[in-house]
Amino acid sequence: MATRVYLEVGAKRVFACSVDWPGWCRSGKTEELALQALAGYAPRYAVVAKEAGVAFRAGADDAFDVVETVPGSATTDFGAPGAVPPGDAEPMDAAEARRQVRLLRAAWTVFDRTAAESPAELRKGPRGGGRDREKMIDHVLGAESGYARKVGVKHRQPAIDDRAAIGALRDAIAAVLERASDGTPPAPNGWPARYALRRIAWHVLDHAWEMADRAS
């Protein structure tokens, strides 16, 4: 069975994102390279699925079924998936919502574990750029508090060492997204649940994997 994906095509970058596995989303300069990158990250995503206790089919990266192609934007070219595909307006029952939230919670666990195992100073990028560990954690939490508003959750950004506040933010996000959805955003001018799950998990895992790579 092929893995369902959609492509977000910008002028300079293409994202290939799994429809059913939130956070499994990678980019490349072309559609082919984006799909190759997605396949290459299957073993890393399998760790997330295992953490969630969700069976991740062996060979999930063997074949992709591109079910939608959507136009990208400057956000796409900057390096983030920013388009909400029409398919995200489809209803999602409670069982699937709970499954996807388990994967989101697993992404948070992978990020926290990676941060705990990484040095405070991370190896710099090819041009000497990149955030160190504490700044990366702060960036992820800042983005997450902003994303939360897209589903109707209003929390202040937690401090990076305030585990209670971080847990409260994440629990509030999960409480909204683990409910059955008719496909409409849970907040005015917000994101539909499918997209919110995918975008939040992608951002967490993108930085978890970056941190792991730059810690070595």
Side-chain angles (χ1 to χ4, degrees), residues 107-198:
W108 284 326
T109 298
V110 168
F111 180 84
D112 290 346
R113 184 167 61 224
T114 303
E117 294 172 351
S118 297
E121 185 173 340
L122 300 172
R123 179 171 50 82
K124 301 303 179 186
R127 292 181 296 277
R131 300 176 181 90
D132 284 326
R133 183 186 63 192
E134 276 69 23
K135 288 188 176 181
M136 193 181 299
I137 297 169
D138 185 66
H139 165 72
V140 169
L141 292 173
E144 210 149 90
S145 61
Y147 297 160
R149 293 177 177 271
K150 293 291 189 177
V151 297
V153 172
K154 297 180 180 179
H155 279 231
R156 292 181 180 273
Q157 178 182 340
I160 66 172
D161 58 351
D162 190 341
R163 301 309 307 172
I166 293 169
L169 171 62
R170 292 172 174 176
D171 286 346
I173 293 170
V176 173
L177 297 178
E178 67 188 2
R179 299 195 295 258
S181 168
D182 64 2
T184 59
N189 301 313
W191 290 338
R194 290 180 183 275
Y195 180 78
L197 282 156
R198 186 182 311 114

